[in-house]
Amino acid sequence: MLRRLSIAVAGGLLLVSAVAGCGGDDGAAGGGSSGGGDDKITLGFAQVGAESGWRTANTKSIEESAATAGFELKFVDGQGKQENQIKAIRNFITQRVDVIAFSPVVESGWDTVLKEAKDAGIPVILTDRAIDSPDTSLYKTFIGSDFVEEGKKAGEWLVKEYQGKTDTVNIVELQGSPGAAPANDRKAGFADVIKADPKFKVVASQTGQFTRTDGKAVMETFLKSQPDIDVLYAHNDDMGLGAIEAIEAAGKKPGTDIKIITVDAVKDGMTALADGKINFIVECSPLLGPQLMDLVKKVKAGETIPQRVLTEETTFTPEQAKEALPNRKY
Ligand code: GYE
């Protein structure tokens, strides 16, 4: 039996939902051990927000696998703000959850709150995104993708696509949300690969906040300011999909007049790829739930776990997207 309860916390901004079994409501702050008196594991999870199809699939994966594992999940949607996530983590500490996991909105600025968790003896697991703190004792492990590698794969496809050609290739880039690990790293990995050949020129690069709305709006400005765009590199599918709308509205053919590379491989992105509107997608898997729950169990049991758990991922061409789509779960 699944029960979902929502409570407003200080500032009225955060929604905390607990997915619980038929046990009691032990979500109140004020110390004491968690889990309603039984030995059920309580996991506090601070999510980034609901900015993309990737994020929606990631949240679903976490909620479902927590239920399957029989955990009590205290889930907080940070609505894209670091301050909300910090508040959520402090609440988890007050509630004395067994383990805290979170997907950091940005890379910097976590040391103080993570030190508080450490001092309270509550283990922390970084999920999906890394932080830039040199103090790795602040968390037990980091599970997620190698975003630099994803950016490199995007660049490598481009290098191959334009092999043997000498004309300048004008690239516009839609970056993820400022300061986020996947935005920083996907930009760096891509730049690192294309810099070997001066014909590749990034003529405009701006954030599209990982959302369709901003992807569309920023692409509209790119189309106005850049007369000759050959390639769009978007740090996620959603921004690419928004940009496709802007390209079509400007009377151009996405995938043909402007080649498009994105990252994620969610269903809508894969559909656009199969339709030839996107040319190449680098996969980033959001299905981190089962592995995360496994790590939570191990951390709680005091077992040693690897410091880094990498997600396996591939890339997709239009043909591969057509093949994969019928079985795509998200
Ligand atoms: O690629 C993007 C989402 O952190 C890997 O965040 C995640 C990224 C994902 O908004 O769509």
Side-chain angles (χ1 to χ4, degrees), residues 277-296:
K277 294 184 177 188
I278 294 179
N279 304 77
F280 189 67
I281 300 185
V282 180
E283 185 185 40
C284 178
S285 176
L287 305 182
L288 305 178
Q291 266 175 303
L292 171 63
M293 300 315 147
D294 197 45
L295 290 166
V296 169

Side-chain angles (χ1 to χ4, degrees), residues 142-185:
F142 162 42
I143 171 178
S145 311
D146 182 336
F147 301 131
V148 175
E149 195 51 39
E150 290 173 350
K152 283 190 179 163
K153 286 181 191 166
E156 280 155 12
W157 179 83
L158 198 63
V159 168
K160 248 190 164 169
E161 184 70 10
Y162 285 90
Q163 214 165 30
K165 298 189 178 137
T166 50
D167 288 354
T168 302
V169 180
N170 290 325
I171 303 162
V172 295
E173 178 178 32
L174 283 168
Q175 298 177 35
S177 49
N184 294 341
D185 294 354

Side-chain angles (χ1 to χ4, degrees), residues 48 51-55 103 128-129 145 147 150 182 186 209-210 235-238 263-264 284:
V48 169
E51 72 282 2
S52 64
W54 190 99
R55 191 63 55 196
S103 176
D128 151 40
R129 295 181 179 182
S145 311
F147 301 131
E150 290 173 350
R186 286 173 186 166
Q209 303 289 356
F210 277 134
H235 291 186
N236 79 345
D237 290 345
D238 281 87
V263 186
D264 276 356
C284 178

